[in-house]
Amino acid sequence: RTRTRTRTRTRVHARATSNISLTARKQGLGQRTRIQGYERTASAWPSPSSSPSSSSSSSSSSTSLAAIAHERDHERARAPTASSLDTDTAEDVGLLRVVDIRSIQQLIDELEQAGDALVIVAFHATWCAACRKVQPLVQKYVKDREDVVLLKVNYDRNKQICRSLSVKKLPYFHFYRGSQGKLEDFSASAKTFQRIRDAVALHGTPRCALGPNAVPKSLEKLRDDLATN
């Protein structure tokens, strides 16, 4: 009986050991299979550079960007510039009716070349709140008038001009016309913009002016003094 029990225990132990080994082998095989399958799947994945969908989307994006850039360049090429416009067209869009003055000589030239048009010289500064409000109103009003020219003089860039013309308040406006020279000067804001309208209505009426356009003597003297110095 003792021998029988010993043999039985040995067989049970061997069978259990065999089952454990088989289970372990199955589990290892399953893991290797899963790992190998993952590796096969991963290796089968196309790289971003070789993906047809990626390359097609990239190509379409590049094409879209190129088309947008081409259209933008085309619009810029068609946009009118002051140098490419003739006089009539430039006057229609207001390019020759509003001028930023940057030197004494430029101001003198603009006054002399204005012909019989009414010239408004607007003195302003970027730090002047009243100037920022009234300047757009004046500029818009002038663009609708072919017989009015607006010369914008920035105080900070043209202090010598302002001193020579006795400009001591901003915003300030001078009105010139032909051989008559300066007709009127005053300060006006957005609230008193009607005063500018009244001055244009008064001085912008049709008239025949004989002789060359008058330029303030103080400007000519300032120009000559700077030329000699």
Side-chain angles (χ1 to χ4, degrees):
R1 291 181 180 178
T2 301
R3 292 179 179 177
T4 302
R5 291 177 180 176
T6 302
R7 291 176 180 174
T8 302
R9 290 176 180 174
T10 301
R11 291 175 182 174
V12 171
H13 177 72
R15 187 176 299 171
T17 302
S18 176
N19 291 338
I20 292 173
S21 300
L22 179 61
T23 301
R25 285 197 301 272
K26 288 182 178 180
Q27 290 177 351
L29 179 61
Q31 291 177 356
R32 286 195 299 272
T33 302
R34 286 195 298 271
I35 293 174
Q36 290 174 359
Y38 173 80
E39 291 175 350
R40 284 197 301 269
T41 304
S43 63
W45 289 346
S47 62
S49 59
S50 61
S51 173
S53 60
S54 174
S55 60
S56 62
S57 61
S58 175
S59 176
S60 61
S61 299
S62 300
T63 304
S64 300
L65 292 176
I68 293 173
H70 177 72
E71 182 65 21
R72 185 169 58 246
D73 293 339
H74 183 62
E75 291 294 333
R76 288 177 179 175
R78 292 190 303 174
T81 61
S83 59
S84 63
L85 294 172
D86 57 21
T87 302
D88 295 334
T89 306
E91 287 180 355
D92 290 341
V93 297
L95 293 178
L96 297 184
R97 293 297 171 186
V98 180
V99 181
D100 285 314
I101 299 301
R102 300 182 181 277
S103 67
I104 298 170
Q105 186 60 53
Q106 182 188 11
L107 177 56
I108 293 175
D109 292 341
E110 291 293 341
L111 290 173
E112 291 178 342
Q113 298 170 10
D116 194 43
L118 176 64
V119 179
I120 304 175
V121 182
F123 300 90
H124 68 99
T126 56
W127 43 263
C128 173
C131 299
R132 293 196 298 269
K133 292 179 180 180
V134 72
Q135 284 290 340
L137 299 178
V138 178
Q139 185 165 326
K140 182 179 179 180
Y141 182 65
V142 169
K143 283 187 175 181
D144 296 333
R145 298 284 301 252
E146 295 185 358
D147 56 341
V148 180
V149 176
L150 174 63
L151 306 181
K152 299 169 60 177
V153 179
N154 185 291
Y155 176 82
D156 293 320
R157 292 199 301 259
N158 302 280
K159 291 183 179 180
Q160 292 178 321
I161 295 177
C162 295
R163 282 195 294 265
S164 67
L165 296 177
S166 301
V167 176
K168 299 179 181 179
K169 186 177 182 180
L170 296 176
Y172 206 78
F173 299 89
H174 283 194
F175 294 81
Y176 296 85
R177 186 165 185 184
S179 60
Q180 295 177 310
K182 187 172 70 173
L183 304 174
E184 189 176 2
D185 64 283
F186 54 80
S187 179
S189 63
K191 293 182 179 180
T192 59
F193 180 67
Q194 184 59 40
R195 190 176 182 183
I196 298 176
R197 291 178 178 270
D198 294 340
V200 172
L202 175 62
H203 304 302
T205 56
R207 65 189 67 178
C208 294
L210 302 177
N213 286 17
V215 176
K217 299 297 182 182
S218 57
L219 281 180
E220 294 180 336
K221 183 178 183 303
L222 178 60
R223 177 194 60 187
D224 296 340
D225 292 342
L226 292 177
T228 55
N229 295 335

